[in-house]
Structure formats: C-alpha cells, structure tokens
C-alpha cells in the first residue's frame, strides 16, 4: 500500500499501472487537500490522497476523468505532516540539507523507518548549493520515496527569499521575524502568509529569540523567550500554520555550559494558548558517541552539549510537532569523514569518503525518527 498525491479534481478515479496494463485494485480516497502542484502546473489545486495496493511501479495513469494525468508521488506540505503529529502526540523531524548526501540520508532513513520527514533548507544552504539544484534534488527524492516528504525553507530572512522559494516549488516556508519588534514581525509574517497560502504553501513563524538562558534572571528570560500571552495573539493575527517557540534551546553544538535546562512551564502555557503545531529549533542532542568518535580522529569539540533525548520527548508530549535537527547531522558527517581519512590515508575517491558519511547521517536520522515517534506513521 502506498499514499499517492494526485493532481486530480475528480472524487473517484480508477487507474492502470503504466507498462503492465494491469488494473489497480483497492484504490481508496483518503483525503483531499488544497496544495501547490508545482511539478506539473505550478498552480494551486486539489490533491487527492489515495491509498492503492500496487506492485513496485511508481508511475500511474488515472482514467475515468477529464483531468487524467500521469501521477507521481509529490511533496506534501509541512501542515499535512504536522497537524496529525500534534494531534497524535508525535513529532516530525525537520532535517537540514545542503548537498546530495544529506538528502539521500534523510530520504533513505525515512523510507526504512516508514516515517514522514521535513527536508529543510536555509538561505545559507541555498547560497552554497543553489536553489534550483537543492529544490530539484529534494523533489526527486519525494517522487522516488514511498513516504511523504516536504520541502521547507528554514529561517527565511525576508519576504523576497520566502517568495522565491514558493516559486521554486517549496511546500513550506519559515519567515523568521523573531529579531523584529512584535508588530513588525506580525506585518512581515502576514505578508508571507498571504503569498504562500495563495499557492497552498504552509508557513512557520517564530516568536522569541533562540538563546541559552542558563544564567539569566526571570526578567531576562522573559525578555528573550516566547511570551505565552502574545503567542495566541500572534498566530491569530498572522494566520500561520506553525509557531516556533523559544524555551531555552539554541542552535549549534554548544547549547549549555552546565546542566541542560528548558523552560517547560513556558511551553505548557504556550501550548494552552496555541493549538497549532509548535516547532522546536536548536533540538540537536549532540550525542556523546559522535563526539567521542570525532575526537578520536582529531576533532576539537570539547564542551559540546545538546538537548537530552528525554527533554525532546517531554516537549513533544507538550505540543511540539516539528523538531529541527542540523548539528547532529553535521557532527555525524564530520566524524565519519575523519574516520575514513585517518584509517585510509591512500583513499581519494569521494564516494568512499562521503558514502560512510551518508550512512552515519542516516543512522542519526533513523534514531531521531524512533525518538520522535514518527517511525511507522507513513506505513
Ligand atoms: O538554523 C539552522 C542551522 O543550523 C544554521 O544553518 O549554517 O545553514 O545557516 P546555516
Ligand atoms: P541544531 O543546531 O540544534 O541542530 O538546530 C537546528 C535548527 O534549529 C535548524 O533550524
Ligand atoms: Zn533553527
């Protein structure tokens, strides 16, 4: 059985498998959603989610409707993935990618775990890999994978970047106005929501600043972290689909000097006011085994510290539905590359160096999916 996303307006369809002429049995309509159909038409249209029993073939022709067309597995939106996650009490991993190896690691892990996944691209990843390359690699991954993937702009810094990504076929964008004054954040976010929603693209925004707050006073924390009282007003006024919250996490490998601490009481209050999916940035755990492996082969990462896995599970139980992971992938990549280069000094085939790095990232992604509870949700 697989889920297919189809650019069809018909309520019932029948289908034949290309090449075999064998009629599909048990084509069941699961749901219809409005979505951007970037691949064929670049227009917003109704997407039917079908469950079909089929052999390996990935390409279908729908018949019995004037909208008949070749069907490919398409990117889904973040909203498609996050709403059931918040409702079901599990989390969807958003994994940052910037090259082919990271995309392969995420897509293969998702397929093996039967898990949905969000593939996230930052403006600096776009600068590195190029928008057309990254969006097409991820789109290809979504077409070939048997699980739902979305393509998300992470930390979109301005309206122009967000709308370029919408035009390039992203199915979700984050507009990060967290550094702005509240009213300016509202205005910018609303502007992005209006363009993105008109194309069926979902929007994430952020309130509060990501920063370690270990030694901060209550007043200092209040000035930095998400204010539960304004969170409700913000989502209502902007119409966003998800809200990133600041509860004491931060980006990178050095999140805490002493014991990790998150403001769970704040999260509880935000969760009461906002029923939308909540997003946790800076959620890498900086696993000891990766740091040890990297250090064994020469890395200098003393003092690296992340979010304990139990904290992540607690946050999911309190309404976090999307968990952002970049650092742990970078660490796994680096440790694996160091190991190969140290153990095989004569090696100079990039595939022999980057292949193990991809496998190491895949192991991390699979363990995140198990931790977040998304494994098996795309079965
Ligand atoms: O916020 C996400 C990242 O970990 C920072 O990514 O170096 O691609 O901007 P970047
Ligand atoms: P980490 O640095 O903890 O992996 O966070 C990544 C992130 O928030 C990307 O948006
Ligand atoms: Zn982030």
């Amino acid at each position: 059985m697989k889920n297919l996303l189809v650019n069809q307006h018909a309520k019932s369809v029948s289908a034949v498998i290309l090449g075999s002429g064998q009629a599909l049995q048990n084509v069941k309509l699961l749901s219809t959603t409005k979505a951007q159909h970037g691949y064929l038409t670049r227009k917003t249209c109704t997407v039917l989610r079908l469950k079909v029993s089929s052999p390996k073939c990935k390409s279908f022709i729908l018949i019995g409707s004037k909208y008949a067309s070749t069907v490919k597995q398409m990117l889904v939106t973040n909203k498609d993935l996050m709403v059931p996650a918040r409702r079901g009490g599990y989390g969807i991993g958003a994994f940052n990618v910037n090259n082919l190896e990271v995309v392969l690691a995420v897509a293969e892990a998702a397929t093996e775990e039967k898990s949905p996944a969000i593939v996230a691209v930052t403006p600096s990843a776009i600068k590195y890999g190029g928008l057309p390359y990254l969006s097409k690699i991820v789109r290809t991954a979504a077409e070939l994978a048997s699980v739902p993937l979305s393509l998300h702009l992470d930390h979109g810094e301005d309206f122009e970047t967000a709308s370029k990504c919408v035009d390039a076929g992203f199915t979700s964008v984050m507009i990060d106005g967290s550094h702005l004054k509240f009213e300016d954040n509202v205005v910018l976010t609303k502007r992005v929501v209006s363009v993105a929603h008109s194309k069926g693209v979902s929007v994430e925004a952020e309130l509060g600043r990501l920063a370690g707050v270990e030694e901060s006073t209550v007043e200092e924390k209040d000035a930095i972290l998400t204010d539960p009282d304004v969170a409700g007003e913000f989502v209502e006024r902007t119409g966003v689909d998800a809200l990133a919250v600041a509860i004491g996490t931060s980006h990178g490998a050095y999140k805490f000097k002493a014991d990790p601490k998150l403001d769970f009481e704040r999260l509880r209050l935000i969760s009461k006011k906002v029923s939308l999916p909540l997003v946790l940035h800076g959620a890498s755990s900086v696993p000891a085994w990766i740091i040890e492996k990297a250090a064994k082969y020469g890395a200098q990462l003393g003092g690296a510290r992340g979010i304990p896995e139990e904290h992540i599970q607690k946050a999911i139980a309190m309404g976090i539905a999307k968990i952002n992971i970049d650092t742990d992938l970078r660490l796994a990549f680096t440790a694996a590359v160091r190991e190969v280069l140290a153990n095989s000094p004569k090696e100079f085939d990039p595939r022999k160096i980057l292949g193990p790095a991809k496998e190491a990232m895949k192991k991390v992604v699979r363990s995140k999916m198990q931790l977040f509870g998304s494994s098996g949700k795309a079965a």
Side-chain angles (χ1 to χ4, degrees):
M1 299 290 260
K2 69 166 58 118
N3 289 324
L4 285 177
L5 297 177
V6 182
N7 67 326
Q8 284 288 306
H9 297 263
K11 281 271 178 304
S12 77
V13 290
S14 55
V16 290
I17 301 165
L18 276 183
S20 75
Q22 180 194 345
L24 280 177
Q25 281 157 20
N26 191 18
V27 179
K28 195 171 142 210
L29 178 63
L30 294 183
S31 64
T32 63
T33 44
K34 283 274 173 209
Q36 191 202 18
H37 191 284
Y39 189 74
L40 291 174
T41 62
R42 292 192 185 279
K43 284 197 179 118
T44 302
C45 63
T46 303
V47 170
L48 303 190
R49 182 167 297 150
L50 302 176
K51 198 155 207 179
V52 297
S53 54
S54 80
K56 292 162 205 121
C57 185
K58 290 204 175 287
S59 190
F60 295 83
I61 283 182
L62 296 182
I63 54 174
S65 141
K66 62 178 178 163
Y67 297 105
S69 65
T70 300
V71 176
K72 286 188 171 153
Q73 176 105 344
M74 289 164 47
L75 288 163
V76 299
T77 68
N78 276 14
K79 187 175 174 187
D80 287 333
L81 302 181
M82 293 182 305
V83 169
R86 169 127 199 206
R87 207 180 295 131
Y90 61 94
I92 304 286
F95 302 99
N96 285 87
V97 305
N98 48 54
N99 66 11
L100 177 66
E101 282 71 23
V102 199
V103 176
L104 287 175
V106 176
E108 289 176 14
T111 301
E112 286 169 28
E113 286 298 317
K114 296 188 173 36
S115 168
I118 294 168
V119 182
V121 178
T122 60
S124 56
I126 291 172
K127 203 168 161 202
Y128 173 77
L131 189 56
Y133 280 102
L134 290 176
S135 67
K136 285 184 176 121
I137 291 172
V138 178
R139 187 164 295 278
T140 303
E143 285 173 8
L144 298 176
S146 53
V147 293
L149 301 179
S150 77
L151 171 56
H152 172 72
L153 168 68
D154 189 24
H155 293 285
E157 60 224 322
D158 49 37
F159 176 79
E160 289 67 32
T161 309
S163 53
K164 260 190 209 159
C165 288
V166 169
D167 289 343
F170 280 49
T171 49
S172 174
V173 291
M174 174 188 187
I175 181 68
D176 185 354
S178 57
H179 54 288
L180 300 173
K181 291 202 180 96
F182 180 77
E183 285 302 329
D184 295 341
N185 193 357
V186 169
V187 170
L188 175 64
T189 303
K190 271 176 86 167
R191 202 169 158 223
V192 171
V193 166
S194 136
V195 164
H197 281 186
S198 74
K199 305 255 172 76
V201 170
S202 32
V203 179
E204 170 185 333
E206 180 166 325
L207 255 193
R209 276 183 290 128
L210 285 209
V213 285
E214 295 164 274
E215 284 135 28
S216 309
T217 61
V218 174
E219 292 74 27
E220 284 165 342
K221 270 194 187 177
D222 281 344
I224 295 169
L225 302 182
T226 307
D227 180 342
D229 289 330
V230 297
E233 180 190 340
F234 183 81
V235 299
E236 204 165 294
R237 285 178 61 192
T238 56
V240 285
D241 304 291
L243 182 70
V245 296
I247 56 164
T249 62
S250 58
H251 291 122
Y254 303 90
K255 299 185 193 297
F256 304 100
K257 292 198 191 81
D259 284 347
K261 242 191 215 140
L262 297 189
D263 193 339
F264 283 111
E265 176 55 14
R266 187 176 299 269
L267 178 57
R268 192 185 66 78
L269 294 172
I270 298 169
S271 210
K272 259 173 79 178
K273 305 256 172 168
V274 179
S275 59
L276 290 175
L278 301 173
V279 179
L280 192 64
H281 284 249
S284 278
S285 293
V286 188
W289 68 268
I290 303 181
I291 297 294
E292 280 156 22
K293 182 169 148 187
K296 182 174 167 194
Y297 296 107
Q300 295 182 355
L301 295 165
R305 209 168 267 138
I307 313 290
E309 294 193 340
E310 318 78 74
H311 284 30
I312 299 291
Q313 282 179 316
K314 186 169 171 183
I316 293 170
M318 295 173 75
I320 296 289
K322 169 173 175 275
I323 301 111
N324 287 17
I325 303 292
D326 191 353
T327 295
D328 285 352
L329 301 180
R330 295 178 181 197
L331 290 170
F333 180 99
T334 302
V337 168
R338 281 184 177 279
E339 183 180 32
V340 176
L341 294 179
N343 289 341
S344 315
K346 294 198 173 140
E347 187 57 69
F348 59 88
D349 179 342
R351 294 166 297 185
K352 302 274 170 51
I353 299 165
L354 298 179
K358 184 201 81 177
E359 289 303 320
M361 292 187 287
K362 189 167 146 185
K363 182 173 164 187
V364 168
V365 175
R366 287 191 70 166
S367 81
K368 298 290 176 193
M369 288 167 168
Q370 291 161 16
L371 178 74
F372 303 162
S374 67
S375 292
K377 298 294 183 197

